[in-house]
Amino acid sequence: GEDVEQSLFLSVREGDSSVINCTYTDSSSTYLYWYKQEPGAGLQLLTYIFSNMDMKQDQRLTVLLNKKDKHLSLRIADTQTGDSAIYFCAINTQTYSGAGSYQLTFGKGTKLSVIP
Amino acid sequence: EAGVAQSPRYKIIEKRQSVAFWCNPISGHATLYWYQQILGQGPKLLIQFQNNGVVDDSQLPKDRFSAERLKGVDSTLKIQPAKLEDSAVYLCASSRSFSLGREQYFGPGTRLTVT
């Protein structure tokens, strides 16, 4: 099946940049996502990138996609204590039933800790 | 716009008991998903509905799990009987359609503990 890998932990100092990395195996994925999960809360979509793009910037967030290496990264500039959370990389994969329907396959998440 | 609602937020049951979770998606969203998130892992899709029909339930353990979305709006997920390994957070999500790229909006989840 499809596989999405992430490192489990990242610790940065407040004000520094954070870079969270993700690798995946399904080269047919056309949308790749970053979700944020705070304690006791559901998942919040942060940003996504279409597979024909190399980079997408959205305020403090920069997503880089290397399709050749199947590598996705999320950079958070000027990281704040409020950014402490678990960040999930997710790719869209076609469901087993096909029929043009797609599901998200998630990595295990990277826990970002921001040190004041 | 109201988000995805789920209840209860927490549930503790003993193994072999039954439990049901409820989800109310965002108004107008045709597609509804149930995910299981075991501690330390990412969410795993259990079942996907388009209106009141099942699109994909290939990862649903059908011997003990069932789900329905009778009127194409609210949905319930049931576990009967529960096992210890069912302890997890059950997330409901919805999107306007199941088409490629449609954003999924997640509810806060129901944390199930099976003792």
Side-chain angles (χ1 to χ4, degrees):
Chain A
E2 297 77 17
D3 206 13
V4 179
E5 298 285 340
Q6 299 177 241
S7 53
L8 296 182
F9 302 98
L10 177 65
S11 183
V12 300
R13 292 203 174 274
E14 189 174 19
D16 289 348
S17 292
S18 308
V19 179
I20 303 171
N21 295 300
C22 170
T23 58
Y24 58 95
T25 56
D26 187 354
S27 58
S28 66
S29 297
T30 49
Y31 284 87
L32 302 99
Y33 305 83
W34 284 104
Y35 279 84
K36 176 183 180 181
Q37 187 176 38
E38 296 180 272
L43 277 74
Q44 172 197 356
L45 179 65
L46 283 179
T47 187
Y48 66 91
I49 189 167
F50 190 54
S51 59
N52 69 352
M53 299 169 65
D54 298 324
M55 185 182 85
K56 180 179 180 181
Q57 189 152 0
D58 184 2
Q59 298 181 342
R60 291 191 299 124
L61 306 178
T62 303
V63 179
L64 295 177
L65 175 61
N66 182 328
K67 280 197 73 175
K68 175 176 170 290
D69 294 339
K70 298 178 191 171
H71 182 268
L72 182 72
S73 68
L74 173 69
R75 177 177 181 269
I76 306 173
D78 187 24
T79 311
Q80 303 297 306
T81 55
D83 295 324
S84 294
I86 299 176
Y87 291 80
F88 290 93
C89 171
I91 62 173
N92 73 283
T93 54
Q94 193 161 13
T95 63
Y96 293 102
S97 65
S101 67
Y102 295 83
Q103 68 178 58
L104 294 179
T105 299
F106 288 84
K108 291 187 176 181
T110 299
K111 184 174 183 178
L112 174 64
S113 298
V114 182
I115 304 165
Chain B
E1 175 177 77
V4 176
Q6 290 188 247
S7 68
R9 291 296 311 277
Y10 306 92
K11 190 74 177 177
I12 301 173
I13 62 172
E14 295 182 351
K15 59 184 179 183
R16 292 187 288 275
Q17 286 187 324
S18 301
V19 65
F21 312 127
W22 174 83
C23 173
N24 181 237
I26 293 173
S27 177
H29 280 195
T31 309
L32 185 146
Y33 312 79
W34 282 104
Y35 289 86
Q36 180 192 58
Q37 185 179 17
I38 293 173
L39 186 65
Q41 297 186 20
K44 183 187 83 171
L45 181 68
L46 292 176
I47 189 167
Q48 177 181 344
F49 291 94
Q50 176 71 7
N51 296 311
N52 61 351
V54 175
V55 174
D56 190 326
D57 63 357
S58 56
Q59 298 184 87
L60 186 74
K62 298 181 187 64
D63 58 333
R64 298 183 300 106
F65 286 64
S66 64
E68 60 183 14
R69 193 184 183 200
L70 291 175
K71 296 182 180 178
V73 182
D74 293 5
S75 176
T76 56
L77 175 69
K78 297 179 182 177
I79 307 175
Q80 180 180 9
K83 292 185 175 181
L84 295 176
E85 59 261 36
D86 298 332
S87 294
V89 175
Y90 291 84
L91 295 165
C92 179
S94 70
S95 65
R96 290 195 179 278
S97 74
F98 63 61
S99 299
L100 193 61
R102 284 293 187 183
E103 179 178 348
Q104 292 185 27
Y105 295 84
F106 284 80
T110 296
R111 182 177 297 275
L112 174 66
T113 302
V114 182
T115 63

